[in-house]
Amino acid sequence: MKKLAIVVSHPIQYYSPWFNYLSNTAGLAVKVFYLWDFGVTKRIDSGFQQEIQWDIPLLSGYDYEFVPNISSRPGTDHFWGLQNPSLSSQIKKFHPEAVLLMIYNYASIYRLLWSGSQDLPPLLFRGDSHRLLISHNIKALLKREFITQIYRRFAACLYVGKANYNYFRYHRVAEEKLFFSPHAVDNHRFLAQTDVVNQQAQAWKQELGIPADHAVILFAGKLEEKKRPLDLLQAFLSINIPQVSLLFVGAGPLEAELKTAAAGKSHIYFAPFQNQTFMPRTYAAADLFVLPSYGSGETWGLAINEAMCLSRPVIVSNHVGCSQDLVHNYENGLVFPAGDVSALAHSLKEALANRQRLQKWGENSRNIVANYTYAQATQGLIQALEYTKLRLM
């Protein structure tokens, strides 16, 4: 079995099931090296602004170890948050035939790339950055050159979608070194619960006070600036469509401002942060899921995958990384220009104008996301490994 080391910042609810899949179905001896223990112990999440510990198993089904982190302020929100001096030596003890990095812009990874990679096996990188918001100033050009030098240290790169592919090409990664390994969630966990969570969602909506005959527009996630929940609130207030409610699920720095702006308005509801086991029910409560993010920070938007698993139509801004891959206009949803509240309002009105069509869009969502799986992600990884093997021969 080919031994593959994987380096990740911390246990992530979207990645752990894939590592399990790799270890048990892909013919790989996988070992994951974690640089921080967020997610498996209670930690303050700066986005949600509260203590978070995921309630699904993140460390089962695959081999892993935590690399000691000596940072005075551990985390992924700043460059010095991951400082793991023993990373290179711990990887070498595993004797892998390849190393897959899922991150790079941290102190530990730069140290690995510049001082510890000479006697390591081929390095692979899987990222999801994009350039959907383009800048041509001198700072952007210098950044391009710097990142280009980083990517030259990788034998192959895995791209998760079209925008990410274009990002790698912009940084001069050769086409022959790029392999499609799409972003995916644990589709089975969502698909297997459809009937049960639909019943749970009806009861939950009743608890929240949402009228039974209302269509529900859902925003679920961190209530933070990059996700632009205030844009959605303003758009909803402007359309004034009868028998439609807006539900915000989550927490974050904009929560108070949102609630103040919604005070006294009809059919706007708030629910607190929902842990992973409650997310299928959360999506099932919606008739339409919206992600109006602005800027380069929404590199993919895995909530879209999850909502689509529950057969939900989606509206996203054109700055959401998955917009070119998962959202097909008038087939399973709509894409609108990021930051344009009037365009978002028009998209809401258009989507809700025909409820039968909206339901069909949801069915199409489920069919589309069926092609974004851990199996497909693994296929790209295997192709990359075979490519690096041939290059070494």
Side-chain angles (χ1 to χ4, degrees), residues 283-334:
Y283 297 115
D287 295 274
L288 176 65
F289 184 77
V290 182
L291 185 58
S293 304
Y294 186 98
S296 59
E298 198 69 79
T299 52
W300 180 263
L302 283 160
I304 298 299
N305 294 63
E306 294 177 337
M308 289 173 62
C309 283
L310 268 296
S311 301
R312 267 42 194 174
V314 292
I315 293 177
V316 302
S317 82
N318 62 350
H319 287 180
V320 174
C322 70
S323 60
Q324 298 176 29
D325 303 87
L326 293 182
V327 189
H328 304 167
N329 274 319
Y330 290 94
E331 182 178 343
N332 74 312
L334 296 167

Side-chain angles (χ1 to χ4, degrees), residues 201 204-205 208 210 215-221 223 227 229 232 236 244-250 267 269-272 274 278-292 303-304 306-308 310 312-316 344 348 352:
W204 188 46
K205 286 193 290 185
L208 293 171
I210 299 174
V216 175
I217 301 168
L218 172 67
F219 174 98
L223 303 176
K227 292 185 180 290
L232 178 56
F236 175 77
V244 177
S245 290
L246 173 61
L247 173 60
F248 289 102
V249 178
H267 307 309
Y269 302 86
F270 292 86
Q274 303 291 298
F278 291 104
M279 287 311 297
R281 180 194 69 173
T282 301
Y283 297 115
D287 295 274
L288 176 65
F289 184 77
V290 182
L291 185 58
I304 298 299
E306 294 177 337
M308 289 173 62
L310 268 296
R312 267 42 194 174
V314 292
I315 293 177
V316 302
L344 174 53
L348 294 174
L352 294 163

Side-chain angles (χ1 to χ4, degrees), residues 163-224:
N164 184 222
Y165 172 86
N166 291 334
Y167 179 86
F168 280 125
R169 295 292 289 133
Y170 173 77
H171 291 99
R172 304 189 185 97
V173 179
E175 189 170 2
E176 67 175 20
K177 294 173 63 175
L178 289 171
F179 299 88
F180 181 46
S181 179
H183 256 325
V185 299
D186 189 357
N187 288 13
H188 177 73
R189 183 168 75 87
F190 289 87
L191 297 173
Q193 302 182 60
T194 302
D195 293 337
V196 173
V197 297
N198 282 332
Q199 296 174 11
Q200 293 174 345
Q202 295 306 314
W204 188 46
K205 286 193 290 185
Q206 187 174 3
E207 290 175 19
L208 293 171
I210 299 174
D213 61 343
H214 275 216
V216 175
I217 301 168
L218 172 67
F219 174 98
K222 295 176 180 178
L223 303 176
E224 59 184 356

Side-chain angles (χ1 to χ4, degrees), residues 15-324:
Y15 291 167
S16 295
W18 185 38
F19 300 154
N20 189 326
Y21 181 94
L22 288 173
S23 296
N24 292 285
T25 63
L28 295 172
V30 170
K31 187 165 190 175
V32 180
F33 294 84
Y34 286 119
L35 310 186
W36 185 37
D37 63 355
F38 179 86
V40 293
T41 59
K42 280 192 175 183
R43 302 278 186 177
I44 295 291
D45 183 287
S46 58
F48 284 118
Q49 294 191 329
Q50 64 185 63
E51 277 193 336
I52 298 294
Q53 181 177 3
W54 299 122
D55 63 354
I56 58 173
L58 299 181
L59 300 175
S60 62
Y62 63 93
D63 192 15
Y64 66 91
E65 66 181 62
F66 286 93
V67 184
N69 186 353
I70 64 170
S71 173
S72 60
R73 187 164 65 89
T76 55
D77 59 337
H78 64 112
F79 178 80
W80 299 105
L82 302 179
Q83 294 188 61
N84 313 78
S86 63
L87 175 60
S88 180
S89 61
Q90 288 184 234
I91 290 174
K92 290 172 185 174
K93 287 178 183 177
F94 178 55
H95 301 292
E97 295 168 70
V99 180
L100 171 63
L101 301 184
M102 308 284 279
I103 52 172
Y104 79 80
N105 200 25
Y106 297 97
S108 282
I109 305 304
Y110 282 109
R111 176 174 177 160
L112 181 72
L113 290 176
W114 266 271
S115 63
S117 62
Q118 292 83 353
D119 50 353
L120 282 175
L123 301 178
L124 283 66
F125 178 70
R126 184 176 188 258
D128 57 8
S129 297
H130 61 66
R131 292 189 70 252
L132 296 175
L133 188 63
I134 297 175
S135 176
H136 296 289
N137 58 37
I138 187 65
K139 182 179 178 181
L141 294 175
L142 290 173
K143 184 177 180 181
R144 178 188 187 184
E145 293 305 315
F146 178 71
I147 295 175
T148 296
Q149 296 305 314
I150 291 173
Y151 288 150
R152 285 179 177 169
R153 295 183 174 268
F154 293 101
C157 293
L158 309 177
Y159 66 94
V160 299
K162 294 175 182 176
N164 184 222
Y165 172 86
N166 291 334
Y167 179 86
F168 280 125
R169 295 292 289 133
Y170 173 77
H171 291 99
R172 304 189 185 97
V173 179
E175 189 170 2
E176 67 175 20
K177 294 173 63 175
L178 289 171
F179 299 88
F180 181 46
S181 179
H183 256 325
V185 299
D186 189 357
N187 288 13
H188 177 73
R189 183 168 75 87
F190 289 87
L191 297 173
Q193 302 182 60
T194 302
D195 293 337
V196 173
V197 297
N198 282 332
Q199 296 174 11
Q200 293 174 345
Q202 295 306 314
W204 188 46
K205 286 193 290 185
Q206 187 174 3
E207 290 175 19
L208 293 171
I210 299 174
D213 61 343
H214 275 216
V216 175
I217 301 168
L218 172 67
F219 174 98
K222 295 176 180 178
L223 303 176
E224 59 184 356
E225 183 58 38
K226 80 171 184 181
K227 292 185 180 290
R228 300 297 273 259
L230 283 163
D231 285 6
L232 178 56
L233 176 60
Q234 293 169 16
F236 175 77
L237 291 173
S238 72
I239 60 175
N240 194 29
I241 300 177
Q243 294 183 298
V244 177
S245 290
L246 173 61
L247 173 60
F248 289 102
V249 178
L254 294 181
E255 183 174 354
E257 187 176 353
L258 274 167
K259 288 182 176 178
T260 298
K265 309 298 193 299
S266 299
H267 307 309
I268 301 172
Y269 302 86
F270 292 86
F273 164 81
Q274 303 291 298
N275 215 317
Q276 289 300 297
T277 56
F278 291 104
M279 287 311 297
R281 180 194 69 173
T282 301
Y283 297 115
D287 295 274
L288 176 65
F289 184 77
V290 182
L291 185 58
S293 304
Y294 186 98
S296 59
E298 198 69 79
T299 52
W300 180 263
L302 283 160
I304 298 299
N305 294 63
E306 294 177 337
M308 289 173 62
C309 283
L310 268 296
S311 301
R312 267 42 194 174
V314 292
I315 293 177
V316 302
S317 82
N318 62 350
H319 287 180
V320 174
C322 70
S323 60
Q324 298 176 29

